[in-house]
Amino acid sequence: MKTCTRLRFYTTILLLFIITQKISPSPSGEGWGGASSPKSIALVLGGGGAKGAAHIGVLKVMEEVGLQPDIIVGTSIGAIVGGLYSVGYTASHLDSLFRSQQWTRLFTREAIRGNAIKTMLDSLVAHPPTPSYPRTLVPPHPQKFACIASNLRTLSEVVLADDSLARNIRASMSIPALFKPVRYEGHVLYDGGLLNNLPVDVAREMGADLVIAVDLTVNHHDDDDDADDFDLMELLDLKNMKGLLGWLFNRPDFKKHRQNKAAADVYINPPLDGYSAISFSTENIEEMIAVGEQEARGNVNLLKKMTKNNF
């Protein structure tokens, strides 16, 4: 009899222990007695030419609060900023780069027709600076990076995430009629903004739990550049209604942009009215960096929540 009583007593103690373990909150607020895994955070940087200076202002605020993304995805100018950031350039480095005469001269007609952009990107990627991080930001862990390019022959987007970073960036920013397309693995690649200018969906596919999206558009499609010499044989496919003509008729980027905008956890859209894709003057660059920073500060509480893994 004593043995049975003792057995029931120990059984009751064991059950109470198990039930308590299941329902008691852990220090992180999670049940079942263990801390939750850190959420993977992605930063998505949209295209917009010179307006990409606003991205730098956003990065400044992220660094201040100690928020380091695990994944970076960019399109066009967003690919340049994001790609360089992923290899060690800080917001301060990018600020200095965008304000330099070397940078503004890259986008003159003479430089575009030559190989100045290719040469500079190759050099920037091959020789990143030794980062000096703000005290709030620990040295970054390895980051995944991808950028988006467009194959207009098939009206399909191409995600570039390996091999040559400089080449991938050049493909993502190859605006038709202004830059030569990049040929890679059977693709003829143009600016990714033609099909996916805010690639939140790609960040999700890369494993992001939370996404910060920085959208440079004002009226969604305000970044038209003067085009005077399209290569019609390269861009038009009249028989299959693909190529540039199919893009003009269907504008698949509109629907994708709306979907991605809605899918972001933190959506930052700096008010860049009055600036264009070719506002590369030093004064404009300085102003747009400040606009991006101000807009990010309006979302600083959300960014801090992400930093604390409490979003």
Side-chain angles (χ1 to χ4, degrees):
M1 186 69 178
K2 288 183 178 179
T3 302
C4 291
T5 302
R6 190 178 295 114
L7 181 61
R8 283 198 297 270
F9 174 76
Y10 286 126
T11 301
T12 301
I13 294 297
L14 179 61
L15 288 173
L16 285 172
F17 176 77
I18 293 173
I19 292 170
T20 303
Q21 286 295 99
K22 283 187 176 182
I23 64 175
S24 294
S26 67
S28 66
E30 295 291 323
W32 201 216
S36 61
S37 299
K39 293 180 179 178
S40 178
I41 298 172
L43 174 64
V44 173
L45 302 175
K51 292 185 290 182
H55 287 323
I56 299 170
V58 175
L59 288 172
K60 286 185 176 183
V61 177
M62 289 178 61
E63 288 182 356
E64 285 181 14
V65 301
L67 181 54
Q68 185 70 41
D70 306 288
I71 298 167
I72 303 175
V73 186
T75 295
S76 198
I77 192 69
I80 298 177
V81 175
L84 294 179
Y85 198 72
S86 74
V87 296
Y89 287 80
T90 64
S92 177
H93 292 131
L94 293 169
D95 184 300
S96 297
L97 173 64
F98 270 56
R99 294 174 193 262
S100 69
Q101 289 186 346
Q102 183 185 17
W103 176 258
T104 55
R105 286 173 181 168
L106 277 181
F107 299 93
T108 62
R109 187 169 294 275
E110 293 74 19
I112 287 172
R113 288 176 176 172
N115 289 316
I117 291 178
K118 178 182 183 301
T119 301
M120 184 174 183
L121 284 175
D122 286 344
S123 177
L124 289 170
V125 170
H127 307 288
T130 301
S132 54
Y133 295 98
R135 290 194 301 178
T136 54
L137 190 68
V138 297
H141 43 278
Q143 295 167 317
K144 296 180 182 178
F145 173 75
C147 58
I148 314 303
S150 301
N151 185 336
L152 290 184
R153 285 179 170 176
T154 59
L155 277 188
S156 60
E157 64 184 84
V158 178
V159 179
L160 301 169
D162 54 13
D163 200 9
S164 170
L165 175 60
R167 183 209 57 222
N168 293 349
I169 293 173
R170 284 191 289 109
S172 186
M173 60 171 286
S174 293
I175 301 171
L178 291 181
F179 299 103
K180 296 177 181 178
V182 172
R183 299 176 186 272
Y184 173 63
E185 292 189 350
H187 298 288
V188 180
L189 301 177
Y190 289 91
D191 192 289
L194 295 168
L195 295 176
N196 194 350
N197 203 39
L198 193 70
V200 172
D201 56 329
V202 175
R204 297 287 188 194
E205 291 167 5
M206 293 174 67
D209 298 307
L210 299 172
V211 178
I212 305 162
V214 186
D215 187 2
L216 304 178
T217 59
V218 177
N219 296 314
H220 175 63
H221 50 285
D222 63 339
D223 297 333
D224 300 321
D225 293 274
D226 294 331
D228 53 14
D229 55 348
F230 279 91
D231 183 348
L232 296 179
M233 296 302 292
E234 193 72 72
L235 297 176
L236 297 182
D237 184 346
L238 299 176
K239 181 178 179 180
N240 297 311
M241 282 297 289
K242 291 185 177 179
L244 182 62
L245 186 63
W247 176 79
L248 288 170
F249 271 93
N250 297 309
R251 290 312 302 266
D253 55 317
F254 284 5
K255 181 178 180 181
K256 177 66 71 75
H257 180 269
R258 288 193 297 269
Q259 292 171 340
N260 281 331
K261 176 180 174 181
D265 297 288
V266 176
Y267 176 74
I268 299 175
N269 184 211
L272 295 168
D273 307 75
Y275 302 100
S276 76
I278 56 174
S279 297
F280 283 106
S281 72
T282 303
E283 181 181 0
N284 284 334
I285 293 295
E286 182 176 345
E287 292 171 352
M288 289 186 287
I289 291 174
V291 170
E293 182 176 348
Q294 182 177 6
E295 192 67 14
R297 292 197 186 284
N299 291 272
V300 73
N301 288 334
L302 293 176
L303 298 178
K304 286 180 177 178
K305 279 188 175 183
M306 283 190 172
T307 304
K308 297 177 181 178
N309 196 31
N310 192 33
F311 194 84

